[in-house]
């Protein structure tokens, strides 16, 4: 295909992805109320525990309530339309890939997408405990007015950060398949990986929420060792193929 044909193809793919995103946003805007009710659950619990109505979600401007709905609609719409825009990206780049690259790319996506959503789900499960724990540090007589924009940003960033952290082991396997890092090199850094996972879990969760921190750190450590194990397995298979092809001497 010529450059012009590629640009036409790209425009078509982007148009399909944009239409899917808009449709997803419309659906998400309709169901925004249950989503808002869910993410503000911790605030209602705090209000009940205090026995007052002072702990509430605060909309500081005229348009802030609408802005929050649009943010929620965009986020959920992006997730709902993910199968469409992911397929459009894949359909655009697939003709330029070799069969081996296609196999690796499919394996990467199949592994990364479920892990990302699993991380987002864990973030949603941790979120109420984090908010309630942070409220417990409010001094006697104090009130909690949660800005709608900042509250949503906190929930969204918590989900995204934990979701991305779950995908990082897949990148390690991808680096191994690309020949950048061997399985032994990945496994050799297990001490650093445990340290990084623990620090990340401590930063992503409140300092006093030890259970959430240990759970998140434990999952990340397990994923790291799983990635190292897969990399060692791939290295072993590669050595066997190279030995059979006579590229390296048979050590046995």
């Amino acid at each position: 295909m010529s450059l012009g044909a590629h640009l036409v193809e790209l425009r078509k793919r982007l148009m399909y992805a944009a239409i899917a995103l808009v449709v997803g946003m419309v659906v998400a805007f309709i169901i925004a109320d249950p989503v808002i009710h869910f993410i503000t659950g911790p605030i209602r619990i705090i209000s009940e525990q205090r026995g007052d109505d002072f702990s509430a979600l605060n909309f500081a401007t005229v348009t802030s309530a609408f802005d929050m709905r649009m943010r929620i609609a965009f986020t959920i719409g992006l997730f709902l339309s993910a199968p469409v825009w992911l397929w459009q990206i894949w359909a655009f780049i697939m003709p330029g890939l070799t069969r081996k690259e296609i196999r690796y790319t499919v394996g990467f996506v199949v592994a990364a997408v479920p892990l990302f959503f699993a991380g987002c789900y864990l973030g949603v499960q941790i979120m109420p405990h984090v908010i309630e724990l942070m409220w417990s540090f409010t001094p006697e007589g104090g009130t909690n007015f949660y800005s709608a924009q900042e509250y949503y940003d906190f929930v969204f960033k918590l989900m995204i950060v934990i979701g991305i952290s779950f995908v990082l082991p897949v990148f390690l396997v991808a680096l191994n398949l690309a020949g950048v890092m061997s399985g032994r090199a990945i496994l050799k850094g297990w001490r650093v990986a445990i340290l990084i996972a623990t620090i990340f879990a401590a930063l992503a969760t409140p300092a006093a929420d030890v259970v959430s921190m240990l759970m998140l750190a434990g999952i990340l450590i397990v994923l790291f060792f799983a990635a190292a194990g897969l990399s060692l397995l791939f290295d072993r298979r590669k050595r066997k193929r190279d030995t059979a092809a006579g590229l390296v001497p048979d050590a046995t």
Side-chain angles (χ1 to χ4, degrees), residues 133-203:
L133 183 64
M134 291 296 98
W135 162 78
S136 66
F137 294 100
T138 303
E140 186 68 27
T143 57
N144 299 89
F145 290 100
Y146 299 98
S147 169
Q149 180 177 350
E150 294 178 359
Y151 186 84
Y152 169 79
D153 287 343
F154 168 77
V155 174
F156 178 73
K157 290 176 181 177
L158 181 66
M159 290 175 53
I160 295 300
V161 168
I162 297 180
I164 292 176
S165 68
F166 272 47
V167 181
L168 291 179
V170 182
F171 282 100
L172 290 177
V173 176
L175 291 175
N176 172 258
L177 291 174
V180 178
M181 295 181 68
S182 66
R184 289 182 178 273
I186 295 174
L187 187 60
K188 189 176 180 180
W190 67 270
R191 295 180 180 85
V192 177
I194 292 177
L195 178 62
I196 293 175
T198 305
I199 294 175
F200 173 81
L203 294 175

Side-chain angles (χ1 to χ4, degrees), residues 193-228:
I194 292 177
L195 178 62
I196 293 175
T198 305
I199 294 175
F200 173 81
L203 294 175
T205 57
D209 193 354
V210 180
V211 176
S212 297
M213 184 193 74
L214 292 177
M215 180 174 63
L216 178 58
I219 293 174
L220 293 177
I221 292 170
V222 170
L223 289 174
F224 168 79
F225 281 106

Side-chain angles (χ1 to χ4, degrees), residues 22-218:
V22 171
V23 172
M25 287 181 62
V26 171
V27 174
F29 191 88
I30 295 174
I31 64 173
D33 283 333
V35 175
I36 295 175
H37 184 270
F38 173 75
I39 65 175
T40 55
I43 298 179
R44 291 192 300 275
I45 294 175
I46 291 171
S47 181
E48 292 174 1
Q49 291 178 351
R50 295 181 68 99
D52 56 39
D53 296 325
F54 292 110
S55 299
L57 195 64
N58 183 31
F59 297 95
T61 64
V62 176
T63 61
S64 59
F66 178 78
D67 291 342
M68 183 176 181
R69 287 178 176 271
M70 289 301 298
R71 286 168 173 260
I72 292 174
F74 177 78
T75 303
I76 299 178
L78 197 64
F79 285 111
L80 291 178
S81 61
V84 177
W85 56 261
L86 283 174
W87 168 252
Q88 296 304 320
I89 294 175
W90 173 248
F92 181 73
I93 66 174
M94 182 176 61
L97 300 177
T98 64
R99 184 174 300 178
K100 184 177 181 181
E101 291 171 339
I102 290 175
R103 186 170 64 252
Y104 285 161
T105 304
V106 171
F108 176 83
V109 173
V110 169
V113 171
L115 284 174
F116 175 76
F117 281 108
C120 291
Y121 175 77
L122 181 61
V124 170
Q125 298 301 312
I126 292 177
M127 178 265 297
H129 303 289
V130 174
I131 296 172
E132 291 176 31
L133 183 64
M134 291 296 98
W135 162 78
S136 66
F137 294 100
T138 303
E140 186 68 27
T143 57
N144 299 89
F145 290 100
Y146 299 98
S147 169
Q149 180 177 350
E150 294 178 359
Y151 186 84
Y152 169 79
D153 287 343
F154 168 77
V155 174
F156 178 73
K157 290 176 181 177
L158 181 66
M159 290 175 53
I160 295 300
V161 168
I162 297 180
I164 292 176
S165 68
F166 272 47
V167 181
L168 291 179
V170 182
F171 282 100
L172 290 177
V173 176
L175 291 175
N176 172 258
L177 291 174
V180 178
M181 295 181 68
S182 66
R184 289 182 178 273
I186 295 174
L187 187 60
K188 189 176 180 180
W190 67 270
R191 295 180 180 85
V192 177
I194 292 177
L195 178 62
I196 293 175
T198 305
I199 294 175
F200 173 81
L203 294 175
T205 57
D209 193 354
V210 180
V211 176
S212 297
M213 184 193 74
L214 292 177
M215 180 174 63
L216 178 58

Side-chain angles (χ1 to χ4, degrees), residues 222-243:
V222 170
L223 289 174
F224 168 79
F225 281 106
L230 281 174
S231 298
L232 289 171
L233 178 62
F234 291 150
D235 287 345
R236 183 179 178 184
R237 292 174 57 184
K238 183 179 179 181
R239 284 195 300 270
K240 287 184 176 180
R241 289 196 303 266
D242 291 345
T243 301

